Amino acid sequence: MTFEWIQIPYALLTIFIVLNYGLLMTALIAKIAARVGRRHGIPIWQNYADLVKNYGLRSSITHGVMFYMGPVFRLTGGVGLLLFVPTIYGSVMFSNLSFAGDLILALYFVFFGTLGMALGAAESGHPYSAIGITRGLSQVTMAELPLALAVFAVALHYQTLSITEIVAAQQGGFLNWTLFTNPLAVAAAMLAFLGSMMRPPFDVVLAPQEIPIGPPTEYHSSYLALMQTNRVLFPIAKIVVYMNLFFGGATSWPEFFIKVFLIYMVSVLVGVVFPRFRVEQSIRWFMIWAVPIGILAIVLA
């Protein structure tokens, strides 16, 4: 497809819709986890109140330019990933800025924010920040390996690197989805999905009892708000990639909302059942279960 300037306001509208959906979804998921633990949970509007409060705060603390660029890089990863994949298949308005070969670019954006956050948090000089970043990079890197193998298997299967063409090949009925035509690739990707969403059992980086050793306590005010914004936007952006590659994409917003919700619930249901892994346990889990399935998916593609 060719780029036209009229696509920019529609891309911004896509970000607005996905951001609000992510805010509501995150609050709903928190309520689900709370009800499982026999608690009431937060109000559905709590995320909006937190964002407004934090965006209104300012800080006079100085740690260096790169420290404050960390949340910007983090948010850029989520926004970039969302903008360079088609949100609604067949829609000129909501195809965003996707183009041929956008699958490789999407893989870059998945890891871009994490690397930016690592560079930024490390500049604070706090040893606990470095520990938190090391844990996060170790787990995210290991989770990305089976995802990359699954993506390569899908690219070989459909003989294209264009996400739009991959979605097009899955039209005509749910039996044409990659879920049914290449189930091993989907299995590897969904195992990687559990780790990349950083929900239990893979949430040691943001574990409630270990918060002092991660970036959430290093950042504050509007910088924390940028991280909170990405925390609701980035998971939806990753799910859009999964939906397009493995579950036939979406041809309308109602279909988009339903599929994103169902895919998101996979990590939520696993998270409320299984206990937390240590970092070395999660890495071992990916190596034993997810990576071999990804390799087998490429072999059989």
Side-chain angles (χ1 to χ4, degrees):
M1 60 174 294
T2 58
F3 173 77
E4 296 182 6
W5 290 103
I6 193 61
Q7 292 174 266
I8 293 180
Y10 291 131
L12 296 176
L13 177 59
T14 300
I15 294 175
F16 177 78
I17 295 173
V18 172
L19 176 61
N20 282 275
Y21 186 57
L23 288 168
L24 296 174
M25 279 282 292
T26 305
L28 176 62
I29 289 168
K31 287 187 74 69
I32 292 174
R35 292 300 174 88
V36 172
R38 296 185 179 181
R39 293 176 285 109
H40 184 72
I42 64 174
I44 201 71
W45 45 263
Q46 184 65 55
N47 287 332
Y48 289 94
D50 291 342
L51 277 182
V52 171
K53 179 195 71 174
N54 287 327
Y55 273 120
L57 297 176
R58 293 295 180 266
S59 172
S60 59
I61 300 175
T62 301
H63 284 300
V65 176
M66 190 61 211
F67 178 80
Y68 296 114
M69 288 297 291
V72 177
F73 277 107
R74 187 67 171 159
L75 183 59
T76 301
V79 173
L81 179 61
L82 181 63
L83 288 184
F84 285 100
V85 297
T87 306
I88 304 297
Y89 172 73
S91 171
V92 177
M93 295 170 55
F94 299 109
S95 59
N96 300 329
L97 309 179
S98 58
F99 57 91
D102 50 358
L103 182 53
I104 298 298
L105 184 62
L107 290 179
Y108 276 110
F109 270 113
V110 167
F111 209 69
F112 180 81
T114 304
L115 292 176
M117 179 56 63
L119 293 173
E123 193 169 353
S124 71
H126 199 297
Y128 284 171
S129 182
I131 293 173
I133 287 299
T134 301
R135 287 179 166 187
L137 284 178
S138 300
Q139 183 168 282
V140 171
T141 302
M142 196 64 246
E144 294 301 323
L145 181 55
L147 173 60
L149 293 173
V151 167
F152 294 154
V154 170
L156 289 172
H157 179 78
Y158 293 110
Q159 292 295 299
T160 180
L161 289 172
S162 170
I163 296 180
T164 302
E165 293 181 8
I166 292 175
V167 177
Q170 299 177 71
Q171 301 307 301
F174 67 91
L175 291 179
N176 293 327
W177 295 359
T178 310
L179 175 63
F180 299 100
T181 60
N182 197 341
L184 286 177
V186 179
M190 291 308 295
L191 294 178
F193 175 74
L194 298 177
S196 65
M197 296 298 283
M198 285 198 173
R199 297 191 56 80
F202 304 101
D203 65 335
V204 67
V205 180
L206 297 175
Q209 67 269 33
E210 300 188 27
I211 278 181
I213 67 169
T217 54
E218 295 296 308
Y219 287 98
H220 43 271
S221 62
S222 55
Y223 303 103
L224 179 60
L226 287 175
M227 294 173 60
Q228 290 174 311
T229 302
N230 184 74
R231 194 172 293 173
V232 299
L233 188 67
F234 194 34
I236 304 296
K238 286 188 287 189
I239 292 173
V240 171
V241 175
Y242 272 79
M243 178 183 66
N244 286 329
L245 293 181
F246 309 117
F247 301 100
T251 56
S252 64
W253 281 110
E255 183 182 0
F256 172 90
F257 294 140
I258 293 173
K259 284 188 175 181
V260 168
F261 175 80
L262 294 176
I263 297 172
Y264 211 142
M265 283 300 107
V266 173
S267 65
V268 174
L269 294 178
V270 171
V272 298
V273 173
F274 289 94
R276 181 175 296 116
F277 279 155
R278 297 192 303 270
V279 175
E280 67 274 11
Q281 289 176 324
S282 64
I283 292 175
R284 189 182 308 117
W285 187 87
F286 286 119
M287 285 295 297
I288 293 174
W289 298 105
V291 172
I293 297 176
I295 295 174
L296 189 60
I298 291 181
V299 173
L300 299 178

